Amino acid sequence: MQEKKIYFAAGCFWGAEHFFRKLPGVTATLVGFANGSTPSPSYREVYTDTTGYAETVEVTYDPSRISLTQLTEAFFVIIDPLSLNRQGEDEGTRYRTGIYWVDSEDIALIEAVYAREEMEQDNTLCVEKEPLRNFYPAEEEHQDYLIKHADGYCHVNLKALRYADLLKELSSLVEGVNDEVAVMANTAALLHETMKFFWTGFYIVADDTRLTLGPFQGPVACYSIGFGKGVCGTSWKRAASVVVEDVEQFPGHIACSSASRSEIVVPLFGPEGLVRAVLDIDSDRLATFDDTDRRMLEIAMAIVAGEIYF
Ligand code: SME
């Protein structure tokens, strides 16, 4: 399949490039300056914040391995979409956030993710969405900056970077394996071993009323969970992820192990849009899971579901 390009302004392009280059299906990245007014700007000129440019990452990807939806969702993991002209330590119009397309066929997918994000934030986003008007690559010293300078400034959080590596591994692990149990078994093993969780596994929709235990890693677990029951059944019923900071505060939580303190459950959807299974991860510490876990695990489960249900 033919490669495509999309342009993301996500604050300082050093960290943004470092994140995008790790994602599965991303075949190349290039940092530069987008949608400004002067020809061939230098980093120093853009730094004056008078040229109208945004620090931007050109992401080249293979759409058969990662979708534009997944890429755009990943973009929202690493920015604060409510912050105008400020990301991390950086301030100025050159650090504004934006999604710039070169293919008008991409607009609908971008708009859909954007609208979901706006609903979730319950606020108007400060993120531009426009066609790419111009893009000039930055000087060579800024390309792959965080590979050249491992201790360089990076505003993308470490957890997001670890998940990006994990997504790449997961994607090649499950690619072309259409067997539900086999894919779930290796996905649970990879997540569990890499992230050192307490319990990592799947509950699979058995019929209209209950989930049944699927492949997992960790202590023995309960066999069956009713629709709407516990955290897993609640996630199934809501068709949405559920993050629980303290399981004792979650009404109806099902304690398979008394050592479990916090939990995240992420649904897997079939092509018809119905929940087919849920990923359940438990931690033996309070408040282990945050928005980065939820968003990156949602992308991970979209990759897994894409292999086994589509
Ligand atoms: N705690 C889950 C049940 C499964 S175990 O955590 C493995 C729940 O409340 O749904």
Side-chain angles (χ1 to χ4, degrees):
M1 197 173 282
Q2 196 141 29
E3 290 188 335
K4 292 194 64 171
K5 288 188 197 302
I6 184 75
Y7 295 75
F8 292 117
C12 176
F13 55 21
W14 295 343
E17 179 184 42
H18 201 52
F19 174 73
F20 283 113
R21 66 195 305 285
K22 290 173 180 287
L23 295 177
V26 171
T27 53
T29 53
L30 186 67
V31 300
F33 312 108
N35 285 10
S37 49
T38 54
S40 304
S42 66
Y43 184 81
R44 274 173 167 278
E45 281 162 5
V46 173
Y47 207 79
T48 62
D49 220 38
T50 57
T51 61
Y53 283 98
E55 289 201 8
T56 296
V57 186
E58 177 190 80
V59 175
T60 307
Y61 64 101
D62 174 353
S64 69
R65 297 205 44 226
I66 194 161
S67 66
L68 179 60
T69 298
Q70 288 160 357
L71 278 173
T72 309
E73 285 170 351
F75 160 75
F76 278 110
V77 174
I78 63 164
I79 62 160
D80 176 353
L82 303 181
S83 175
L84 181 66
N85 300 331
R86 176 193 277 277
Q87 295 293 321
E89 308 278 299
D90 298 308
E91 200 177 351
T93 59
R94 65 196 182 281
Y95 297 118
R96 67 188 185 270
T97 52
I99 309 166
Y100 311 120
W101 59 82
V102 282
D103 182 352
S104 56
E105 282 184 6
D106 291 345
I107 298 174
L109 287 179
I110 292 166
E111 293 281 8
V113 179
Y114 198 100
R116 270 208 303 280
E117 186 66 30
E118 206 150 45
M119 205 142 78
E120 200 177 304
Q121 300 284 350
D122 198 17
N123 216 326
T124 311
L125 307 186
C126 303
V127 181
E128 292 183 336
K129 48 179 163 64
E130 295 172 0
L132 184 78
R133 283 184 279 112
N134 53 15
F135 177 79
Y136 294 98
E139 295 87 336
E140 180 51 40
E141 62 187 286
H142 296 287
Q143 306 298 336
D144 300 323
Y145 188 88
L146 287 167
I147 293 179
K148 295 169 185 160
H149 309 275
D151 297 334
Y153 167 70
C154 182
H155 73 294
V156 175
N157 77 62
L158 201 62
K159 196 192 254 187
L161 295 172
R162 283 180 70 203
Y163 269 113
D165 284 328
L166 187 106
L167 284 187
K168 184 170 258 167
E169 239 185 296
L170 176 67
S171 170
S172 48
L173 182 68
V174 304
E175 196 183 355
V177 186
N178 305 121
D179 185 282
E180 185 184 52
V181 168
V183 165
M184 286 180 173
N186 261 347
T187 301
L190 179 69
L191 286 171
H192 198 74
E193 291 296 309
T194 312
M195 305 302 274
K196 307 288 175 215
F197 295 131
F198 174 71
W199 193 93
T200 313
F202 291 88
Y203 279 91
I204 301 169
V205 172
D207 56 36
D208 289 349
T209 64
R210 64 184 191 95
L211 297 160
T212 189
L213 182 62
F216 71 94
Q217 299 270 318
V220 294
C222 23
Y223 283 111
S224 187
I225 298 175
F227 182 72
K229 303 291 180 198
V231 187
C232 293
T234 301
S235 169
W236 178 19
K237 188 174 176 183
R238 291 184 193 162
S241 302
V242 179
V243 178
V244 180
E245 290 194 355
D246 178 355
V247 294
E248 279 173 25
Q249 304 300 317
F250 189 91
H253 167 259
I254 300 163
C256 292
S257 161
S258 57
S260 171
R261 309 291 300 282
S262 60
E263 180 163 353
I264 184 169
V265 177
V266 177
L268 282 76
F269 296 93
E272 73 296 332
L274 296 176
V275 175
R276 297 283 195 93
V278 298
L279 168 73
D280 177 13
I281 303 177
D282 289 23
S283 166
D284 55 6
R285 288 174 295 119
L286 287 173
T288 298
F289 307 103
D290 60 17
D291 222 39
T292 300
D293 295 277
R294 178 182 62 79
R295 288 166 181 270
M296 293 304 271
L297 288 169
E298 285 174 355
I299 298 172
M301 290 310 103
I303 291 171
V304 168
E307 283 302 329
I308 56 185
Y309 301 134
F310 286 73

